[in-house]
Amino acid sequence: MAQRMNNRPSHQQGPIRLKGRQMPSSTTDQRLLDSRGPTDWVHTDPWRVLRIQAEFVEGFGALAELGPAVSLFGSARTQPDDPMYEASRQIATRLCAEGYAIITGGGPGAMEAANRGASECGGVSVGLGIELPHEQGMNDWVDLGVNFRYFFVRKTMFVKYAQGFVVLPGGFGTMDELFEALTLAQTGKVTSFPIVLFGSAYWGGLVDWLRATMEGDGKTTPGDVDMLHVTDDVDEVVSYFVAEDD
């Protein structure tokens, strides 16, 4: 019985070998050239791989010659009369004056403020947007914008083309980017990567919890939390990046 099973017809589909009920009724070329039939194939996982590949290619192509850059994160809900809006604009302006491009998520709030600071400074103002159920669109201060379908492709661009992060008060998305960067730095995937938290009143409780609870319970190595630099001083933010380059 075993011998008979091993001699079953098989079909080689690229690197994949198929037998039995997995055998296709047509070849890949036939399905490619046949314009008839359902179009569900455009929504299948193998096709998504090509879309993902295309997003990486577009992102790499758009940002490859960007030069030194800093990614700024913060809430899309930050209003223009919020002190953090002006702080974001000032930080971006100062970094721009030091020769850094500014990368944000391209949305409103703190992101808009940072893009505004970079654009008004005459620097490179980059927005990396994301497809969401409720579209935000690119803010008007983005000079170089790239829209993505997939969060993980977009997050790769934030890290790959930046020399560090500045994180202003924000919500889940901001936290996601923050802990992504922390994980990459902790595991050595990125090196010499400053992570600056602006706004001690907002971030102080989180940092205290990381030290007292997470580190205190042995869930992180002593010193890991020191990768976070908390400040309320715009000049100090800039110094972390300028000092890294000196």
Side-chain angles (χ1 to χ4, degrees):
M1 179 64 177
Q3 182 65 35
R4 201 165 56 239
M5 292 291 289
N6 287 336
N7 289 333
R8 289 183 304 163
S10 65
H11 174 81
Q12 197 71 27
Q13 186 172 293
I16 302 169
R17 189 180 66 171
L18 304 171
K19 283 187 174 184
R21 294 182 180 178
Q22 299 299 317
M23 291 270 288
S25 59
S26 60
T27 67
T28 302
D29 281 342
Q30 285 175 331
R31 293 191 295 276
L32 172 65
L33 298 174
D34 189 353
S35 61
R36 300 165 297 173
T39 58
D40 293 346
W41 61 274
V42 300
H43 305 295
T44 62
D45 286 342
W47 179 248
R48 288 191 182 98
V49 170
L50 296 180
R51 284 182 172 171
I52 292 166
Q53 176 180 293
E55 288 208 349
F56 275 115
V57 170
E58 289 293 337
F60 292 157
L63 303 175
E65 299 179 357
L66 186 60
V70 176
S71 292
L72 275 78
F73 302 98
S75 176
R77 303 180 185 186
T78 301
Q79 298 299 312
D81 59 354
D82 188 321
M84 285 299 165
Y85 185 98
E86 180 60 20
S88 180
R89 189 184 69 81
Q90 288 184 17
I91 291 168
T93 299
R94 290 291 310 282
L95 288 169
C96 170
E98 295 291 340
Y100 288 95
I102 299 300
I103 305 172
T104 80
M111 295 174 283
E112 174 189 284
N115 286 128
R116 176 179 175 180
S119 184
E120 289 178 335
C121 172
V124 182
S125 175
V126 180
L128 306 181
I130 186 69
E131 182 181 67
L132 295 172
H134 304 288
E135 294 295 334
Q136 293 180 330
M138 289 283 182
N139 68 67
D140 291 338
W141 298 99
V142 171
D143 299 321
L144 171 58
V146 185
N147 276 302
F148 296 91
R149 286 188 177 95
Y150 300 100
F151 268 113
F152 60 87
V153 179
R154 179 184 186 235
K155 292 198 310 190
T156 298
M157 304 301 158
F158 279 132
V159 176
K160 178 173 175 58
Y161 292 103
Q163 274 62 60
F165 284 180
V166 176
V167 189
L168 290 93
F172 288 166
T174 301
M175 292 289 184
D176 179 46
E177 298 295 349
L178 167 59
F179 281 98
E180 175 89 6
L182 270 176
T183 302
L184 292 172
Q186 181 196 47
T187 55
K189 298 296 185 182
V190 293
T191 58
S192 301
F193 198 85
I195 304 170
V196 184
L197 304 182
F198 190 85
S200 59
Y202 191 87
W203 297 112
L206 172 63
V207 174
D208 290 343
W209 180 84
L210 291 173
R211 290 191 190 279
T213 303
M214 188 177 287
E215 184 178 307
D217 200 37
K219 300 301 187 293
T220 59
T221 301
D224 282 349
V225 182
D226 295 336
M227 293 186 293
L228 295 171
H229 308 290
V230 183
T231 184
D232 297 300
D233 188 323
V234 172
D235 290 337
E236 189 174 349
V237 172
V238 177
S239 72
Y240 285 115
F241 298 94
V242 175
E244 285 287 331
D245 291 339
D246 290 342

XYZ file of all heavy atoms in Angstrom, residues 139-237:
778
model
N -1.195 65.232 4.910
C -1.313 66.653 5.252
C -0.628 67.500 4.176
O 0.191 67.007 3.400
C -0.743 66.925 6.651
C 0.771 66.743 6.736
O 1.545 67.495 6.141
N 1.196 65.716 7.476
N -0.966 68.778 4.147
C -0.503 69.659 3.070
C 0.981 69.990 3.137
O 1.521 70.582 2.189
C -1.309 70.960 3.088
C -2.758 70.753 2.664
O -3.031 69.754 1.974
O -3.604 71.588 3.044
N 1.648 69.625 4.215
C 3.055 69.972 4.371
C 3.986 68.846 3.933
O 5.206 68.982 4.031
C 3.344 70.362 5.813
C 2.569 71.571 6.240
C 1.409 71.598 6.954
C 2.890 72.938 5.947
N 0.980 72.896 7.137
C 1.872 73.743 6.535
C 3.927 73.570 5.264
C 1.870 75.128 6.451
C 3.931 74.956 5.185
C 2.917 75.708 5.764
N 3.431 67.753 3.463
C 4.251 66.648 2.963
C 4.719 66.967 1.548
O 3.907 67.233 0.666
C 3.457 65.322 2.970
C 4.226 64.225 2.236
C 3.155 64.888 4.400
N 6.031 66.955 1.345
C 6.591 67.207 0.011
C 6.896 65.912 -0.732
O 6.882 65.873 -1.954
C 7.879 68.038 0.133
C 7.622 69.399 0.767
O 6.584 69.999 0.462
O 8.459 69.838 1.571
N 7.182 64.848 0.016
C 7.430 63.529 -0.569
C 6.557 62.524 0.176
O 6.811 62.221 1.343
C 8.911 63.146 -0.443
C 9.301 61.713 -0.820
C 8.911 61.405 -2.264
C 10.785 61.485 -0.605
N 5.507 62.061 -0.480
C 4.559 61.173 0.175
C 4.497 59.802 -0.482
O 4.530 59.695 -1.706
N 4.436 58.760 0.345
C 4.277 57.392 -0.129
C 3.163 56.749 0.679
O 3.192 56.778 1.911
C 5.569 56.554 0.043
C 5.396 55.179 -0.587
C 6.775 57.278 -0.541
N 2.180 56.180 0.000
C 1.079 55.510 0.680
C 1.279 53.997 0.648
O 1.700 53.443 -0.370
C -0.258 55.858 0.017
C -0.812 57.176 0.531
O -1.036 57.337 1.722
N -1.019 58.119 -0.379
N 0.952 53.339 1.761
C 1.142 51.903 1.892
C -0.169 51.210 2.240
O -1.042 51.792 2.874
C 2.174 51.594 2.983
C 3.550 52.099 2.677
C 3.947 53.366 3.081
C 4.449 51.321 1.963
C 5.211 53.845 2.785
C 5.714 51.789 1.661
C 6.104 53.057 2.076
N -0.292 49.950 1.807
C -1.403 49.102 2.230
C -1.073 48.387 3.536
O -1.940 48.136 4.343
C -1.699 48.039 1.163
C -2.399 48.514 -0.099
C -2.773 47.295 -0.935
N -3.504 47.640 -2.141
C -2.928 47.816 -3.323
N -1.621 47.691 -3.441
N -3.659 48.120 -4.380
N 0.198 48.036 3.704
C 0.585 47.130 4.780
C 1.416 47.865 5.836
O 2.440 48.489 5.528
C 1.395 45.955 4.211
C 0.618 45.152 3.200
C 0.815 45.341 1.834
C -0.339 44.226 3.598
C 0.088 44.610 0.893
C -1.067 43.498 2.666
C -0.852 43.700 1.323
O -1.574 42.981 0.408
N 0.984 47.726 7.091
C 1.681 48.382 8.189
C 3.141 47.950 8.275
O 4.033 48.765 8.521
C 0.982 48.075 9.521
C -0.052 49.088 9.919
C -1.393 48.749 9.953
C 0.317 50.374 10.284
C -2.358 49.680 10.325
C -0.626 51.316 10.659
C -1.973 50.963 10.685
N 3.411 46.640 8.104
C 4.769 46.169 8.318
C 5.736 46.690 7.266
O 6.923 46.883 7.547
C 4.822 44.630 8.398
C 4.326 43.917 7.179
C 5.167 43.640 6.130
C 2.998 43.515 7.099
C 4.703 42.975 5.003
C 2.528 42.836 5.984
C 3.382 42.579 4.923
N 5.257 46.942 6.042
C 6.125 47.546 5.019
C 6.433 48.984 5.407
O 7.589 49.432 5.366
C 5.456 47.486 3.628
C 6.352 48.148 2.588
C 5.145 46.058 3.237
N 5.401 49.693 5.805
C 5.562 51.087 6.216
C 6.519 51.208 7.403
O 7.390 52.072 7.441
C 4.183 51.635 6.578
C 4.135 53.079 7.072
C 2.710 53.353 7.454
N 2.406 54.709 7.814
C 1.839 55.045 8.972
N 1.561 54.109 9.874
N 1.542 56.296 9.241
N 6.389 50.304 8.376
C 7.244 50.370 9.554
C 8.702 50.092 9.197
O 9.614 50.653 9.809
C 6.756 49.402 10.628
C 5.412 49.821 11.206
C 5.065 49.195 12.531
C 5.190 47.737 12.623
N 4.608 47.201 13.875
N 8.926 49.250 8.211
C 10.294 49.015 7.746
C 10.911 50.307 7.228
O 12.083 50.605 7.494
C 10.314 47.948 6.638
O 9.815 46.718 7.162
C 11.725 47.736 6.100
N 10.116 51.107 6.503
C 10.627 52.364 5.949
C 10.967 53.355 7.055
O 11.975 54.065 6.984
C 9.605 52.985 4.986
C 9.178 52.080 3.853
S 10.563 51.547 2.813
C 9.849 50.066 2.079
N 10.139 53.414 8.094
C 10.400 54.323 9.203
C 11.763 54.048 9.838
O 12.480 54.965 10.227
C 9.325 54.167 10.286
C 8.045 54.899 10.001
C 6.827 54.250 10.132
C 8.043 56.236 9.634
C 5.637 54.922 9.890
C 6.859 56.913 9.392
C 5.645 56.248 9.515
N 12.104 52.774 9.969
C 13.352 52.402 10.627
C 14.531 52.447 9.657
O 15.592 52.993 9.970
C 13.237 51.001 11.257
C 14.569 50.574 11.852
C 12.154 50.976 12.326
N 14.338 51.883 8.473
C 15.453 51.750 7.518
C 16.038 53.090 7.126
O 17.265 53.225 6.959
C 14.973 51.001 6.268
C 16.056 50.846 5.199
C 15.581 49.963 4.061
C 16.605 49.911 2.935
N 17.921 49.419 3.371
N 15.203 54.110 6.964
C 15.682 55.379 6.432
C 15.816 56.466 7.494
O 15.977 57.637 7.158
C 14.769 55.836 5.286
C 14.909 54.911 4.105
C 13.946 53.955 3.823
C 16.050 54.948 3.309
C 14.092 53.073 2.754
C 16.209 54.077 2.243
C 15.233 53.149 1.976
O 15.405 52.275 0.920
N 15.773 56.096 8.765
C 15.937 57.075 9.836
C 17.153 56.735 10.686
O 17.526 55.575 10.821
C 14.681 57.116 10.719
N 17.745 57.784 11.269
C 18.853 57.599 12.203
C 18.364 57.529 13.648
O 19.151 57.385 14.568
C 19.853 58.749 12.053
C 20.888 58.518 10.952
C 20.272 58.397 9.568
O 19.626 59.313 9.089
N 20.474 57.270 8.928
N 17.056 57.643 13.846
C 16.486 57.553 15.178
C 15.054 58.044 15.179
O 14.537 58.504 14.150
N 14.404 57.932 16.341
C 12.999 58.307 16.496
C 12.858 59.421 17.531
O 13.551 59.418 18.559
C 12.160 57.130 16.992
C 11.847 56.076 15.958
C 11.087 54.970 16.317
C 12.273 56.172 14.647
C 10.778 53.983 15.400
C 11.974 55.195 13.711
C 11.224 54.095 14.095
N 11.942 60.337 17.268
C 11.448 61.254 18.287
C 9.963 60.947 18.450
O 9.207 60.961 17.472
C 11.641 62.732 17.881
C 11.021 63.649 18.941
C 13.113 63.052 17.695
N 9.557 60.659 19.685
C 8.193 60.211 19.939
C 7.497 61.215 20.855
O 7.897 61.388 22.012
C 8.175 58.807 20.575
C 6.751 58.271 20.623
C 9.083 57.852 19.805
N 6.481 61.868 20.328
C 5.671 62.792 21.108
C 4.432 62.054 21.621
O 4.159 60.935 21.191
C 5.278 64.005 20.265
C 6.437 64.957 19.933
C 7.065 64.603 18.595
C 5.961 66.400 19.919
N 3.686 62.667 22.547
C 2.490 61.996 23.079
C 1.567 61.508 21.965
O 1.277 62.233 21.011
C 1.831 63.102 23.913
C 2.984 63.926 24.391
C 3.937 63.948 23.231
N 1.145 60.254 22.091
C 0.271 59.658 21.083
C -0.449 58.449 21.627
O -0.337 58.115 22.815
N -1.163 57.779 20.755
C -1.991 56.646 21.148
C -1.383 55.316 20.757
O -0.163 55.137 20.767
N -2.253 54.364 20.381
C -1.807 53.004 20.094
C -0.778 52.960 18.957
O 0.207 52.224 19.021
C -3.001 52.116 19.740
C -3.879 51.771 20.913
C -5.136 51.230 20.714
C -3.447 51.979 22.213
C -5.958 50.899 21.786
C -4.255 51.657 23.294
C -5.510 51.112 23.083
N -1.022 53.726 17.893
C -0.091 53.710 16.765
C 1.281 54.204 17.163
O 2.309 53.639 16.761
N 1.305 55.258 17.972
C 2.573 55.797 18.457
C 3.285 54.778 19.339
O 4.497 54.572 19.230
C 2.319 57.101 19.240
O 1.663 58.046 18.387
C 3.623 57.709 19.731
N 2.527 54.115 20.212
C 3.105 53.081 21.070
C 3.654 51.924 20.239
O 4.713 51.362 20.549
C 2.049 52.551 22.041
C 1.598 53.538 23.091
S 2.893 53.846 24.305
C 2.006 54.921 25.431
N 2.952 51.575 19.198
C 3.390 50.490 18.325
C 4.759 50.802 17.739
O 5.670 49.969 17.766
C 2.352 50.279 17.225
C 2.747 49.171 16.255
O 3.176 48.106 16.725
O 2.611 49.371 15.038
N 4.922 52.002 17.212
C 6.200 52.395 16.622
C 7.293 52.463 17.686
O 8.440 52.067 17.454
C 6.062 53.753 15.919
C 5.069 53.766 14.771
C 5.483 52.876 13.611
O 6.631 52.404 13.599
O 4.667 52.664 12.708
N 6.943 52.979 18.859
C 7.919 53.090 19.943
C 8.465 51.725 20.343
O 9.679 51.524 20.415
C 7.267 53.778 21.148
C 8.036 53.701 22.476
C 9.414 54.325 22.341
C 7.232 54.370 23.595
N 7.572 50.764 20.606
C 8.032 49.472 21.082
C 8.652 48.627 19.965
O 9.489 47.758 20.232
C 6.897 48.732 21.791
C 6.678 49.242 23.195
C 5.687 50.171 23.469
C 7.492 48.810 24.225
C 5.512 50.660 24.753
C 7.320 49.282 25.516
C 6.326 50.211 25.785
N 8.270 48.895 18.735
C 8.955 48.268 17.602
C 10.427 48.683 17.609
O 11.332 47.853 17.477
C 8.299 48.688 16.287
C 9.006 48.197 15.042
C 8.532 46.831 14.586
O 7.573 46.302 15.172
O 9.143 46.297 13.646
N 10.668 49.992 17.768
C 12.036 50.492 17.776
C 12.811 49.960 18.975
O 13.982 49.577 18.857
C 12.033 52.021 17.788
N 12.169 49.920 20.139
C 12.820 49.394 21.337
C 13.228 47.938 21.151
O 14.328 47.530 21.540
C 11.881 49.519 22.537
C 11.947 50.810 23.346
C 10.874 50.804 24.432
C 13.323 50.995 23.966
N 12.335 47.152 20.566
C 12.631 45.734 20.345
C 13.793 45.557 19.390
O 14.684 44.734 19.611
C 11.386 45.014 19.800
O 10.303 45.160 20.731
C 11.657 43.534 19.595
N 13.805 46.336 18.314
C 14.897 46.240 17.339
C 16.227 46.653 17.957
O 17.264 46.048 17.688
C 14.582 47.104 16.119
C 13.422 46.632 15.241
C 13.089 47.694 14.186
C 13.740 45.305 14.570
N 16.200 47.693 18.803
C 17.429 48.136 19.455
C 17.886 47.121 20.499
O 19.071 46.797 20.597
C 17.208 49.499 20.099
N 16.940 46.590 21.276
C 17.274 45.626 22.323
C 17.904 44.357 21.738
O 18.821 43.776 22.319
C 16.022 45.263 23.119
C 16.268 44.276 24.261
C 14.982 43.657 24.773
O 14.152 43.214 23.997
N 14.815 43.649 26.092
N 17.402 43.933 20.582
C 17.888 42.696 19.967
C 19.052 42.932 19.013
O 19.531 41.995 18.362
C 16.754 41.991 19.194
O 16.184 42.917 18.245
C 15.659 41.536 20.158
N 19.526 44.176 18.914
C 20.671 44.471 18.071
C 20.381 44.525 16.591
O 21.304 44.524 15.776
N 19.099 44.574 16.230
C 18.761 44.680 14.806
C 19.094 46.064 14.254
O 19.346 46.225 13.064
C 17.274 44.382 14.593
C 16.853 42.974 15.001
C 17.515 41.921 14.158
C 16.992 40.539 14.494
N 17.653 39.479 13.706
N 19.043 47.078 15.130
C 19.506 48.411 14.762
C 20.502 48.856 15.823
O 20.380 48.494 16.998
C 18.355 49.431 14.657
C 17.437 49.092 13.508
C 17.570 49.534 15.954
N 21.495 49.634 15.411
C 22.506 50.126 16.337
C 22.604 51.635 16.212
O 22.240 52.210 15.185
C 23.878 49.491 16.037
O 24.242 49.785 14.677
C 23.827 47.980 16.226
N 23.106 52.275 17.268
C 23.236 53.740 17.267
C 21.926 54.387 16.826
O 21.885 55.177 15.881
C 24.393 54.187 16.342
O 25.610 53.623 16.771
N 20.859 54.041 17.534
C 19.524 54.470 17.134
C 18.852 55.162 18.324
O 18.162 54.515 19.125
C 18.712 53.253 16.697
C 17.496 53.581 15.865
C 17.599 53.746 14.500
C 16.248 53.720 16.458
C 16.480 54.044 13.727
C 15.130 54.015 15.705
C 15.256 54.184 14.330
N 19.046 56.484 18.481
C 18.428 57.182 19.607
C 16.905 57.118 19.543
O 16.307 57.252 18.472
C 18.913 58.625 19.433
C 20.086 58.541 18.528
C 19.864 57.372 17.640
N 16.295 56.917 20.707
C 14.835 56.948 20.824
C 14.507 57.982 21.892
O 14.758 57.768 23.082
C 14.268 55.573 21.213
C 14.716 54.501 20.211
C 12.735 55.636 21.287
C 14.407 53.082 20.649
N 13.981 59.117 21.458
C 13.739 60.242 22.352
C 12.233 60.395 22.590
O 11.457 60.491 21.637
C 14.308 61.549 21.765
C 14.125 62.690 22.754
C 15.783 61.387 21.408
N 11.849 60.410 23.859
C 10.455 60.635 24.237
C 10.319 62.082 24.683
O 10.944 62.497 25.665
C 10.047 59.699 25.381
C 10.239 58.200 25.151
C 9.748 57.415 26.364
C 9.518 57.748 23.892
N 9.526 62.842 23.963
C 9.360 64.257 24.293
C 8.075 64.437 25.101
O 6.983 64.080 24.639
C 9.315 65.116 23.026
C 9.383 66.586 23.319
C 10.608 67.210 23.483
C 8.227 67.341 23.447
C 10.686 68.566 23.772
C 8.286 68.692 23.736
C 9.518 69.310 23.896
N 8.236 65.014 26.306
C 7.081 65.244 27.175
C 7.137 64.353 28.406
O 6.523 63.285 28.431
N 7.862 64.795 29.430
C 8.068 63.951 30.608
C 6.778 63.678 31.365
O 6.613 62.604 31.947
C 9.102 64.590 31.537
O 8.680 65.885 31.961
N 5.849 64.636 31.367
C 4.589 64.418 32.079
C 3.790 63.288 31.445
O 3.085 62.547 32.142
C 3.765 65.711 32.085
N 3.910 63.144 30.133
C 3.170 62.097 29.424
C 3.872 60.751 29.530
O 3.245 59.721 29.765
C 3.015 62.485 27.950
C 2.050 61.606 27.179
C 0.689 61.896 27.151
C 2.497 60.489 26.467
C -0.203 61.110 26.446
C 1.612 59.690 25.759
C 0.265 60.001 25.749
O -0.614 59.200 25.058
N 5.186 60.739 29.355
C 5.927 59.486 29.263
C 6.500 59.002 30.592
O 6.905 57.844 30.708
C 7.078 59.642 28.259
C 6.635 59.914 26.866
C 6.797 61.065 26.159
C 5.948 59.018 25.984
N 6.260 60.952 24.898
C 5.729 59.699 24.774
C 5.498 57.702 26.111
C 5.086 59.112 23.688
C 4.851 57.115 25.044
C 4.650 57.815 23.848
N 6.565 59.891 31.591
C 7.212 59.541 32.844
C 6.635 58.309 33.511
O 7.367 57.431 33.987
N 5.299 58.208 33.551
C 4.655 57.065 34.190
C 4.974 55.755 33.494
O 5.182 54.721 34.152
N 5.035 55.781 32.165
C 5.360 54.573 31.412
C 6.788 54.134 31.705
O 7.049 52.942 31.950
C 5.191 54.832 29.913
C 5.675 53.716 28.981
C 4.879 52.438 29.199
C 5.602 54.155 27.520
N 7.725 55.072 31.690
C 9.125 54.733 31.931
C 9.309 54.207 33.351
O 10.051 53.237 33.587
C 10.033 55.952 31.663
C 11.477 55.649 32.055
C 9.962 56.362 30.198
N 8.629 54.836 34.314
C 8.698 54.349 35.701
C 8.179 52.921 35.801
O 8.753 52.080 36.505
C 7.885 55.260 36.624
C 8.528 56.624 36.809
O 9.733 56.769 36.495
O 7.821 57.557 37.262
N 7.079 52.622 35.100
C 6.513 51.270 35.125
C 7.471 50.266 34.484
O 7.655 49.156 34.982
C 5.174 51.246 34.397
C 4.547 49.890 34.384
C 3.776 49.316 35.349
C 4.666 48.902 33.336
N 3.404 48.048 34.988
C 3.933 47.769 33.764
C 5.305 48.875 32.101
C 3.828 46.617 32.973
C 5.207 47.733 31.331
C 4.471 46.623 31.770
N 8.100 50.658 33.393
C 9.056 49.770 32.738
C 10.207 49.415 33.674
O 10.651 48.271 33.729
C 9.604 50.422 31.462
C 8.629 50.584 30.290
C 9.280 51.394 29.172
C 8.162 49.237 29.765
N 10.661 50.410 34.420
C 11.775 50.157 35.347
C 11.332 49.335 36.552
O 11.959 48.327 36.909
C 12.365 51.485 35.838
C 13.130 52.263 34.798
C 13.886 53.420 35.441
N 14.428 54.317 34.442
C 15.551 54.105 33.771
N 16.231 52.986 33.973
N 15.979 54.986 32.889
N 10.249 49.791 37.192
C 9.849 49.176 38.453
C 9.202 47.813 38.262
O 9.460 46.884 39.040
C 8.891 50.108 39.197
N 8.369 47.668 37.240
C 7.595 46.432 37.072
C 8.239 45.477 36.078
O 8.545 44.335 36.404
C 6.160 46.759 36.628
O 5.564 47.630 37.605
C 5.329 45.499 36.505
N 8.468 45.928 34.871
C 8.991 45.024 33.847
C 10.434 44.619 34.151
O 10.763 43.435 34.198
C 8.886 45.677 32.462
C 9.230 44.730 31.317
S 9.005 45.504 29.678
C 7.214 45.535 29.563
N 11.290 45.627 34.392
C 12.677 45.308 34.724
C 12.766 44.686 36.115
O 13.524 43.733 36.334
C 13.533 46.564 34.650
C 15.008 46.328 34.890
C 15.828 47.595 34.760
O 15.716 48.276 33.715
O 16.576 47.909 35.708
N 11.962 45.209 37.047
C 11.990 44.690 38.409
C 11.578 43.240 38.501
O 12.036 42.500 39.379
N 10.736 42.793 37.583
C 10.284 41.399 37.560
C 11.179 40.524 36.688
O 10.867 39.361 36.441
C 8.838 41.345 37.055
C 8.140 40.057 37.453
O 8.383 39.566 38.580
O 7.363 39.521 36.639
N 12.252 41.106 36.197
C 13.195 40.329 35.404
C 12.776 40.085 33.968
O 13.342 39.218 33.292
N 11.801 40.831 33.483
C 11.330 40.616 32.114
C 12.175 41.354 31.079
O 12.061 41.099 29.883
C 9.855 41.044 31.988
C 8.902 40.268 32.903
C 8.943 38.787 32.618
C 7.874 38.015 33.387
N 8.110 38.013 34.847
N 12.988 42.302 31.531
C 13.962 42.955 30.664
C 15.298 42.971 31.389
O 15.362 42.807 32.607
C 13.560 44.402 30.308
O 13.420 45.170 31.516
C 12.263 44.436 29.524
N 16.355 43.203 30.636
C 17.702 43.259 31.204
C 17.951 44.642 31.781
O 17.560 45.646 31.168
C 18.742 42.963 30.109
O 18.473 41.669 29.562
C 20.153 43.013 30.660
N 18.580 44.729 32.943
C 18.923 46.062 33.467
C 19.683 46.872 32.435
O 20.636 46.397 31.823
C 19.802 45.726 34.688
C 19.312 44.394 35.149
C 18.961 43.653 33.879
N 19.252 48.085 32.232
C 19.863 48.951 31.229
C 19.050 49.090 29.962
O 19.243 50.046 29.205
N 18.129 48.152 29.716
C 17.314 48.236 28.501
C 16.497 49.529 28.463
O 16.373 50.163 27.414
C 16.374 47.034 28.395
C 17.090 45.773 27.921
O 18.246 45.873 27.478
O 16.469 44.696 27.988
N 15.945 49.905 29.598
C 15.093 51.104 29.632
C 15.920 52.363 29.378
O 15.391 53.388 28.948
C 14.340 51.197 30.978
C 13.414 52.415 31.000
C 13.525 49.931 31.214
N 17.235 52.269 29.612
C 18.099 53.426 29.379
C 18.197 53.785 27.899
O 18.754 54.841 27.562
C 19.504 53.155 29.937
C 19.506 53.016 31.448
O 18.583 53.545 32.089
O 20.424 52.354 31.977
N 17.688 52.914 27.025
C 17.660 53.262 25.601
C 16.678 54.401 25.328
O 16.729 55.027 24.263
C 17.276 52.037 24.767
C 18.309 50.935 24.774
S 17.903 49.562 23.649
C 16.446 48.882 24.466
N 15.785 54.663 26.282
C 14.805 55.745 26.143
C 15.349 57.018 26.775
O 15.804 57.006 27.920
C 13.488 55.364 26.821
C 12.729 54.186 26.227
C 11.564 53.803 27.126
C 12.231 54.526 24.830
N 15.295 58.107 26.029
C 15.737 59.402 26.537
C 14.500 60.302 26.660
O 13.874 60.641 25.654
C 16.750 60.044 25.587
C 17.888 59.145 25.238
N 18.865 58.792 26.138
C 18.196 58.502 24.076
C 19.743 57.988 25.553
N 19.359 57.792 24.301
N 14.162 60.685 27.886
C 12.972 61.506 28.132
C 13.396 62.948 28.357
O 14.307 63.220 29.157
C 12.198 60.988 29.358
C 10.916 61.800 29.549
C 11.872 59.512 29.212
N 12.754 63.861 27.662
C 13.117 65.268 27.797
C 11.932 66.169 27.475
O 10.972 65.747 26.811
C 14.299 65.615 26.867
O 14.693 66.971 27.083
C 13.915 65.437 25.402
N 12.043 67.425 27.948
C 11.081 68.472 27.592
C 11.785 69.610 26.862
O 11.200 70.669 26.656
C 10.408 69.031 28.867
C 9.600 67.984 29.604
O 8.657 67.445 29.007
O 9.916 67.709 30.780
N 13.017 69.390 26.485
C 13.858 70.434 25.916
C 14.141 70.144 24.441
O 14.736 69.106 24.104
C 15.168 70.494 26.707
C 16.041 71.677 26.337
O 16.087 72.048 25.148
O 16.693 72.223 27.242
N 13.729 71.053 23.571
C 13.938 70.872 22.124
C 15.425 70.773 21.801
O 15.844 69.941 20.988
C 13.280 72.018 21.336
C 13.662 71.946 19.862
C 11.758 71.984 21.491
N 16.242 71.625 22.440
C 17.681 71.590 22.188
C 18.268 70.228 22.552
O 19.155 69.717 21.854
C 18.392 72.678 22.993
C 18.083 74.076 22.481
O 17.701 74.195 21.303
O 18.217 75.034 23.253
N 17.776 69.647 23.645
C 18.282 68.346 24.071
C 17.907 67.258 23.065
O 18.700 66.340 22.802
C 17.740 68.002 25.457
C 18.386 66.772 26.072
C 17.951 66.535 27.505
O 17.308 67.427 28.097
O 18.247 65.441 28.026
N 16.706 67.351 22.501
C 16.303 66.392 21.466
C 17.308 66.404 20.328
O 17.827 65.361 19.916
C 14.894 66.727 20.916
C 14.575 65.843 19.715
C 13.838 66.560 21.990
